[in-house]
Amino acid sequence: MRAINYGLDRPAAKVTAAILCCECRLCEAYACPLELSPMSYYVAIKGQLKAQGWKPEKRQDGAGPEPHPMRDGRLVPTHRLIARLGLTEWEDQICPMDEVDYCPARVTIPLRHPRGIGAPAVPSVTVGQEVAVGDLIARIPEGKLGANVHASISGKVSHTSETGIEIVA
Ligand code: SF4
């Protein structure tokens, strides 16, 4: 946000930490008293970094990013978040989905993030294979960055493709 204030014309080179933004929206929905949106800025910066082919440097010791030392003191109370979002009136209401053990008869699980972030996962199951809830059904190729995919229901794999895996209960 300071880079915007200072009018840096190519801020992406200065704001590489933007790559750590997971787009949770907490900053714009809760944290910023001026109701600014750091997330929108970071999304734009991430687009610039991607277009420039920027990649984070690997640390010499091989370690990844570490949590901020003040992390535990910065957790957001759910009750305050609900109030800030103007949802207090409904805070005690029970979601019908929580009341029943909802289990759809069929699901299709995408193999890549809806925003195209990261590499797509590759199916590790075959059509006809039985899977249980939580089983690993697609994994990220070695050396790529992305999220492995797990079964959300128990059942039989009925279809796999480059884009998704269908499971029938
Ligand atoms: S910058 Fe905002 S949207 Fe991004 S991780 Fe932080 S709180 Fe979440």
Side-chain angles (χ1 to χ4, degrees):
M1 302 310 279
R2 287 192 186 123
I4 295 175
N5 277 345
Y6 292 142
L8 298 181
D9 57 349
R10 275 181 294 171
K14 310 269 184 205
V15 197
T16 51
I19 209 78
L20 297 174
C21 171
C22 65
E23 301 178 29
C24 69
R25 284 197 67 227
L26 192 63
C27 50
E28 65 174 29
Y30 178 84
C32 182
L34 300 177
E35 299 187 355
L36 302 176
S37 175
M39 185 193 77
S40 304
Y41 179 53
Y42 287 154
V43 168
I45 295 290
K46 284 196 285 184
Q48 289 181 26
L49 291 171
K50 191 174 178 184
Q52 293 167 11
W54 181 86
K55 296 243 188 294
E57 286 176 17
K58 281 193 179 160
R59 280 173 44 162
Q60 298 275 331
D61 58 7
E66 286 162 14
H68 192 282
M70 296 294 288
R71 178 184 178 277
D72 287 349
R74 293 179 169 185
L75 299 178
V76 173
T78 306
H79 181 69
R80 289 296 311 135
L81 177 61
I82 289 170
R84 184 70 188 260
L85 295 174
L87 300 173
T88 302
E89 191 180 333
W90 296 279
E91 186 174 359
D92 295 329
Q93 300 224 350
I94 296 167
C95 173
M97 294 275 287
D98 294 341
E99 293 251 278
V100 294
D101 193 10
Y102 180 67
C103 186
R106 176 188 302 264
V107 294
T108 301
I109 305 173
L111 296 181
R112 78 175 308 157
H113 190 281
R115 283 177 181 261
I117 298 168
V122 177
S124 55
V125 291
T126 53
V127 172
Q129 187 173 334
E130 297 278 351
V131 293
V133 174
D135 281 356
L136 180 70
I137 57 173
R139 64 176 71 243
I140 295 298
E142 195 64 35
K144 302 278 185 188
L145 195 60
N148 288 338
V149 177
H150 300 258
S152 58
I153 63 172
S154 297
K156 190 178 278 189
V157 176
S158 55
H159 183 72
T160 68
S161 71
E162 289 181 359
T163 56
I165 294 175
E166 184 185 74
I167 303 170
V168 177

